[in-house]
Each structure stands twice: as C-alpha cells, then as structure tokens.
Amino acid sequence: MPLPTKGRVLIAGGAGFIGSHLCDRYIGRGWEVICVDNFHTGNKANIRHLLTHPNFELVRHDIVEPYMAEVDLILNFACPASPVHYQSNPIKTMKTSVLGTMNLLGLAKRVGARLTHASTSEVYGDPLQHPQTEAYWGNVNPIGPRSCYDEGKRAAETLCYDYSRQHGVEVRLVRIFNTYGPRMAIDDGRVVSNFIVQALQNEDITIYGDGSQTRSFCYCDDLVEGIIALSEQDETLGPINCGNANEFTVAELAERVIRLTGSRSRIVQKPLPQDDPKVRRPDLSLAQKYLNYQPKVELEEGLKKTIDYFRTALANSR
Ligand code: NAD
Ligand code: UDP
C-alpha cells in the first residue's frame, strides 16, 4: 500500500544519533512523530527543540516490551550501535534486536504499517568479499564479543522477511555503513567521535591496532536521505546498503582529524579488539538504482561540521 504523504510515524530510537535526525526530517515534512526511546544511549538534548512541537510526542519506552499506537510507518532505529555500548550488556543488545524488532513487526502487522529496519554492515562481519554487495552472506563469528550485535541484527533481518512472507508486513531494510555527524554522544566510543573528542582536548588519539583497517564514512544527512527514499519506495525490495563508498584507513582518519582541529594530540596504538573487521566498503549499486541515492558530503566537509558540533557539546558539558 502506498504511504500517505503526511501520516504518523513511530521512530524507535528517536532520541539517538540517527533517530533524532529522522525525527527532524519527518516533522519538517508535516508528519506526526512518536519518538520512542529508553534513553540507553539516547539523549533528550537531541530532540529538546522538538518537545513543544504540536506534531511531536516523546515516549520513554523499551521496545523489548510491546508498544501499541496507530501509525502508518515504523522506523526501527532503537539499538546501541557503538561496540562499547552494545558490549556493555550483550544479552540486552540481543533482546533489543530480536524481541524489540519482533514487537515492532507485530505492531506493523496489527495496524497495517510499513516498517523500515536499521540493519548494519556488521551483518557482513569480517568480510571476505570487498566491496560488500547485498548478495554477500557474510563472515560472522557467532560466539565472539561482537556477536550480540552482529547476530542480533542478522536475526532481526530474518524476522523482517519472515513477517513479510508469513504476514504480508511491508518491510524495508537498510544496511547502514559507518555513519557519523552531529548528535553522536561525547562518550559514544566509535572511531569518528572518539578521535574528534580526543583531538579537541589535546588528548592521545587511540588507534586500535596499526590503523591499516579501513572503513567508509558516511555523513548523517546523506544517510537520512537514503532512509527516507527507501521508506517511501512502494516496491518491496530486499536489503539495501546505504553509506558512502569512499574508503579510508583508520590512520588516515586520525591524521585528518588532527589537521582539521589543529590539535597537539599524539597518536598512540592500543590493542586491536577481537574480530575487528579489516575492511569495509559498501557496493551502492542497488541504492543508486532503486533510490537514486548518491551521498554528497565528502569526509573533509562532514568532519568539519562534526568538529563544530563537538566543540560546542564539550563546552556545554563543562
Ligand atoms: P545511538 O546509540 O545513538 O541510537 C540508538 C538509540 O536507540 C538511542 O537513543 C537508545 O537510547 C535507543 N535504544 C536502545 N535500545 C533501546 C530499547 N531497547 N528500547 C528503546 N530504545 C532503545 O546509535 P545510532 O548510531 O543512532 O544507531 C541507530 C540505529 O542505526 C541502530 O539500530 C544501529 O544499529 C543502526 N546503525 C547505525 C550505524 C552508524 O554508523 N551510526 C551503522 C549501522 C547501523
Ligand atoms: N577504532 C580506533 N580507535 C577508537 C575507536 C575505534 O582505532 O578509538 C577503530 C576500531 O577498532 C575499528 C574502526 O576504528 O577498526 C571503526 O570502529 P567503530 O567502533 O567506529 O565501528 P565498527 O568497528 O563497528 O565499524
């Protein structure tokens, strides 16, 4: 069924980094937004400017428990995404991915809503195919420290397509590659925010391993365009990669952050975490073909905006 042009959307994880940008975009488009979040890694500051908006509603709720509301669209962005956070309570991470997604799929079934699920490049694990196409089944350790996230997300993907086949729920599934930008938490722990926060405070920049591992970094505004385009796509599609295909080593990222901040930080090496993927780059052909998706923000420009954000966030946190 086509989506209404102005409907009601439930955004789970709406107080988080990506979720809060989605809240902004849907409010801007005239939708009613129900933001559901348990504030595990989310922050009220990310959505404070929306709290008095007549079309915005904030609900403190954990998606591991069922939630009911009449909505047209559900965006499932509730899940800690940083290894530091998702490993702090791995069983809860698995519950959020599996039970949480099942609850939202159950709601979608009940009220006839479409559901867009935030999956991840981590379903490809430490990939043996490069770049990664959606057809690649991945190389994931099922019992390691990253498994609660990777396998939780893989199980959530299974649930999405089983609800689609068994109950006719309209699902859209985006596999997100490393995305960064304003509203990441200061203590998020992922590489872009860590390096910027360290550089701005002239603290040591912590490269895990020798820094030769690669990631492809996407600015949040580009990703959000892709998510909206996918959610509005009336044709049911398989999983779609979204991100930016420009690939950098972690060492290159550190150098750039130091240059752009004018920091006096030194680079230090820390042990490489277990199962840390060595390479990561999306094949974006399907996103280009079906969504006309084309990321526009180069790393340099995105880093500058993110650095400005963290400068203010750090000043406000003192
Ligand atoms: P984030 O940690 O900033 O946001 C996650 C949000 O979900 C937070 O507001 C948190 O409080 C909320 N949440 C967590 N568990 C919940 C629960 N059980 N019930 C209700 N709310 C809960 O992370 P993010 O980067 O904004 O990621 C958002 C989504 O996108 C996640 O599903 C993540 O797996 C996915 N993703 C993000 C990236 C990325 O690079 N940012 C990459 C791949 C996938
Ligand atoms: N990383 C790093 N220093 C940090 C944080 C992360 O060198 O302070 C590395 C990490 O080991 C990985 C890459 O940067 O190789 C990306 O890590 P992140 O946690 O951002 O995302 P993911 O590994 O989930 O892609």
Side-chain angles (χ1 to χ4, degrees), residues 77-98:
F77 283 72
C79 186
S82 156
V84 180
H85 293 296
Y86 72 63
Q87 289 170 15
S88 69
N89 189 346
I91 296 170
K92 175 67 193 226
T93 299
M94 188 59 122
K95 277 175 142 176
T96 295
S97 269
V98 179

Side-chain angles (χ1 to χ4, degrees), residues 138-158:
N139 176 38
V140 176
N141 176 357
I143 57 166
R146 296 176 80 95
S147 312
C148 60
Y149 185 74
D150 301 6
E151 296 289 19
K153 288 285 185 180
R154 286 169 66 96
E157 289 203 1
T158 307

Side-chain angles (χ1 to χ4, degrees), residues 12-20 36-43 46 61-65 76-82 85 92 95-97 100 117-122 149 153 174-180 183-185 188 190 218 223:
F17 160 49
I18 298 174
S20 64
V36 171
D37 206 293
N38 71 350
F39 292 102
H40 173 202
T41 53
N43 188 344
N46 289 342
H61 177 82
D62 193 310
I63 60 161
V64 167
E65 303 299 330
N76 182 16
F77 283 72
C79 186
S82 156
H85 293 296
K92 175 67 193 226
K95 277 175 142 176
T96 295
S97 269
H117 176 70
S119 190
T120 170
S121 55
E122 304 289 333
Y149 185 74
K153 288 285 185 180
V174 55
R175 289 186 181 150
I176 301 170
F177 284 65
N178 296 68
T179 298
Y180 68 96
R183 299 192 188 156
M184 291 182 93
D188 180 276
R190 281 174 280 183
C218 181
L223 177 81

Side-chain angles (χ1 to χ4, degrees), residues 83 122 146 178 189-191 194-195 198 206-208 213 215 250 272-273 276-277 280:
E122 304 289 333
R146 296 176 80 95
N178 296 68
R190 281 174 280 183
V191 69
N194 264 11
F195 285 3
Q198 289 162 344
T206 53
I207 289 188
Y208 302 159
Q213 70 270 40
R215 293 295 185 272
V250 164
L272 189 67
D276 200 270
R280 186 60 67 65

Side-chain angles (χ1 to χ4, degrees), residues 194-203 205 257-258 261 263 265:
N194 264 11
F195 285 3
I196 293 177
V197 169
Q198 289 162 344
L200 288 175
Q201 300 182 117
N202 295 309
E203 288 171 358
I205 296 215
V257 169
I258 290 177
T261 50
S263 173
S265 292

